[in-house]
Amino acid sequence: MKERLNIYPVRNGILNDAIDRIVVKLHGQKKKYGAKSFLFTGAGANGGTTTVAINTAIALAEAGWKTVFVDCDLRKDQQFKRITTDEVTTLSGYISGKVSGSGSIVNKTDVENLDYIIAGDKCENPVRLLSNYKMETLMVELGEKYDFIIIDTPSVGVCNDAELLIPFVNAYMFVVRMNETKRRQLVDARIALADYEDKFIGIIANRLELFQYKGMIRDFDYFSNGSLAKKRKMAMIKKGGQKK
Ligand SMILES: Nc1ncnc2c1ncn2[C@@H]1O[C@H](COP(=O)(O)OP(=O)(O)OP(=O)(O)O)[C@@H](O)[C@H]1O
Ligand SMILES: [Mg+2]
């Protein structure tokens, strides 16, 4: 019996609020179109794709959906991943035939309803692995077992692994780092995936400064206790004033 993986979910209120906005989007896609597999990629490296994707998976799982997170970044050494393993029961182990049966590569995590597939150590030929027919078989099998499948890939600006996997998913989105990812990078990434425009559902702006986030979302703190009480009081005063 494998141990449960520790995921360390983010417990920051503002970040959770931002992630919940993605959850609403994915939920809508599921209800409207029956979509369940979503691929996250970036326009440039280090934009926060993995962070956003894993936190979205956690939020979906916490909402009660049976969710699996699939790390499809086969280009990074395991030491750069948040989850370490010395096992071969990984995505690359499965595709390369070292492990038989997709069931054995699925790990339980300490988040209820969230399972996790580890990519495995960096490999020399990720494109050949990811384009293997077993990847498609895996996606079909996961589709039968889970409500949501979250796929994490390296940025399109770095390699075209995402392009290889998009045919297997229902929808994809970009994560970009505010004040860092260049407009040109995003345009190039959109062009690189232009063949799959019908599956494109949006761009997630990551790492905004708090003032930028507040600026984008009007009444950002409306439900915070202090703010709500203050606004109610103001409304009462206004109402009282109007009566006179
Ligand atoms: N919203 C955020 N606030 C603070 N730190 C963040 C945020 N998003 C990501 N980071 C940090 O930025 C670094 C890169 O994040 P992450 O690994 O998620 O990016 P990535 O786009 O997946 O990178 P890669 O291109 O290597 O796959 C990590 O150290 C992560 O903790
Ligand atoms: Mg990543």
Side-chain angles (χ1 to χ4, degrees):
M1 179 88 176
K2 282 189 194 177
E3 274 183 32
R4 284 177 177 256
L5 295 176
N6 293 319
I7 295 290
Y8 308 115
V10 174
R11 294 293 173 210
N12 170 313
I14 297 168
L15 209 56
N16 279 347
D17 174 75
I19 294 290
D20 283 350
R21 289 170 192 275
I22 305 170
V23 168
V24 171
K25 180 91 177 165
L26 303 197
H27 194 260
Q29 290 284 317
K30 184 177 182 63
K31 289 288 168 203
K32 220 168 158 187
Y33 308 110
K36 58 164 59 178
S37 49
F38 298 92
L39 181 144
F40 288 67
T41 190
N46 218 23
T49 306
T50 303
T51 308
V52 172
I54 186 67
N55 281 292
T56 304
I58 291 168
L60 290 166
E62 287 183 342
W65 298 105
K66 214 165 157 17
T67 305
V68 61
F69 177 89
V70 190
D71 179 356
C72 290
D73 185 346
L74 299 173
R75 293 178 184 264
K76 242 188 227 112
D77 262 332
Q78 199 59 50
Q79 68 182 100
F80 296 108
K81 305 280 176 125
R82 281 153 241 211
I83 285 179
T84 51
T85 182
D86 47 10
E87 295 191 49
V88 290
T89 51
T90 56
L91 181 65
S92 59
Y94 166 71
I95 305 174
S96 61
K98 291 183 190 132
V99 193
S100 62
S102 62
S104 55
I105 60 168
V106 175
N107 298 279
K108 293 262 164 250
T109 70
D110 53 359
V111 176
E112 196 66 33
N113 298 316
L114 179 62
D115 289 350
Y116 196 112
I117 295 181
I118 296 172
D121 232 338
K122 179 179 167 176
C123 65
E124 295 305 320
N125 50 0
V127 168
R128 292 194 197 166
L129 277 188
L130 294 173
S131 58
N132 188 296
Y133 74 94
K134 279 191 177 173
M135 193 65 211
E136 190 164 6
T137 311
L138 176 69
M139 290 303 293
V140 172
E141 286 174 4
L142 295 178
E144 287 161 2
K145 289 189 198 142
Y146 292 92
D147 300 312
F148 283 101
I149 304 161
I150 302 297
I151 310 281
D152 176 35
T153 69
S155 158
V156 173
V158 177
C159 62
N160 54 3
D161 298 358
E163 189 179 349
L164 204 52
L165 296 174
I166 288 174
F168 306 145
V169 299
N170 298 125
Y172 73 93
M173 66 213 85
F174 287 110
V175 177
V176 298
R177 181 166 172 176
M178 281 297 275
N179 314 315
E180 192 79 24
T181 309
K182 303 276 176 291
R183 182 184 291 265
R184 189 67 239 171
Q185 282 179 297
L186 187 54
V187 171
D188 287 347
R190 294 290 309 276
I191 292 170
L193 301 183
D195 283 349
Y196 303 104
E197 195 64 14
D198 55 327
K199 292 190 178 185
F200 173 66
I201 55 166
I203 298 164
I204 297 160
N206 186 36
R207 301 196 76 161
L208 275 76
E209 297 295 335
L210 190 55
F211 77 88
Q212 291 177 307
Y213 186 67
K214 285 182 174 178
M216 283 169 90
I217 299 174
R218 282 200 72 224
D219 286 336
F220 149 87
D221 61 349
Y222 180 66
F223 293 115
S224 72
N225 284 340
S227 168
L228 197 55
K230 207 162 115 194
K231 281 184 180 153
R232 289 261 157 87
K233 203 169 154 194
M234 290 299 287
M236 293 285 280
I237 293 169
K238 222 171 149 191
K239 219 171 145 192
Q242 278 166 356
K243 269 185 197 162
K244 277 180 207 164

